[in-house]
Amino acid sequence: MRKIFSTIFFLVYGCNNNSLDLEVVSGSEFLNNMSKIHTSKIILVNIWSTWCEPCIEEFPYVVGLEKKYDANDLDVIFFSVDWDEQSKEARSFLKDQQVMGKHYRKREGDDQLFINAFSTEWTGAIPFTVLYDRNGDLLAQWEGKRSESYFYAKIDSLLTLFGS
């Protein structure tokens, strides 16, 4: 009986998106597993940090993208580049922004390898946003803060290509 209760508890509470899972990974680990975990037509990865003012300014409308788009069309993933000693601040910020589900924080180490894993064209400036298809193929990327309308226009144009 206890085993059945434990299984039910895990299925109900362990597998929902009403909690925050902030996994520490390298860029290549994330990209190698991204299409296994995230299966929306478009996967938006927003690379940010708690110490980056433009990241914080655009954060609320990036969070809002998941409310506007169907989960089959768009999955928004936040990838923090905060250092280990700032991990509590990153988690707290995500919770304050009501971000739930599986998100990521950069494993400390070679920053250039992390940057190049996402794009050899990325200078390392944040925020950095990348859009992938469900197969992990790069659709679009940009550095720096963008307006809410920029995000909508980019996503809408890509969804049009996918027939949504």
Side-chain angles (χ1 to χ4, degrees):
M1 182 68 151
R2 185 177 294 212
K3 189 172 186 172
I4 292 171
F5 178 76
S6 296
T7 303
I8 292 170
F9 181 84
F10 174 76
L11 290 173
V12 171
Y13 295 102
C15 294
N16 66 28
N17 274 349
N18 292 330
S19 63
L20 172 64
D21 179 11
L22 190 59
E23 185 176 345
V24 178
V25 297
S26 69
S28 59
E29 287 171 326
F30 169 76
L31 292 170
N32 289 335
N33 293 308
M34 178 181 64
S35 60
K36 295 174 194 163
I37 299 168
H38 306 285
T39 58
S40 300
K41 291 176 187 170
I42 298 173
I43 302 162
L44 183 149
V45 180
N46 182 259
I47 301 174
W48 67 284
S49 177
T50 57
W51 44 261
C52 166
E53 192 63 36
C55 300
I56 302 307
E57 290 170 357
E58 81 174 5
F59 209 93
Y61 52 83
V62 178
V63 170
L65 294 171
E66 280 192 309
K67 293 176 184 153
K68 180 181 184 323
Y69 294 96
D70 185 271
N72 292 321
D73 290 334
L74 180 70
D75 193 2
V76 176
I77 306 302
F78 292 103
F79 206 125
S80 168
V81 294
D82 284 294
W83 298 288
D84 287 347
E85 60 266 9
Q86 296 168 313
S87 63
K88 288 181 183 175
E89 290 86 350
R91 179 177 292 281
S92 177
F93 179 80
L94 289 168
K95 285 183 176 183
D96 288 348
Q97 296 294 314
Q98 300 178 352
V99 172
M100 301 295 174
K102 188 169 188 77
H103 299 277
Y104 302 89
R105 189 171 60 78
K106 177 190 170 296
R107 177 175 290 128
E108 287 198 29
D110 191 326
D111 292 341
Q112 197 60 52
L113 282 177
F114 178 81
I115 291 165
N116 290 343
F118 285 95
S119 174
T120 56
E121 297 175 20
W122 179 24
T123 68
I126 55 174
F128 181 66
T129 304
V130 193
L131 301 173
Y132 298 98
D133 68 13
R134 65 173 44 125
N135 299 317
D137 294 326
L138 179 69
L139 300 172
Q141 63 183 0
W142 60 87
E143 285 183 327
K145 178 184 163 193
R146 295 291 193 268
S147 68
E148 186 173 20
S149 61
Y150 183 91
F151 279 86
Y152 288 145
K154 186 62 78 174
I155 293 165
D156 289 344
S157 69
L158 291 170
L159 287 173
T160 300
L161 293 175
F162 290 117
S164 290

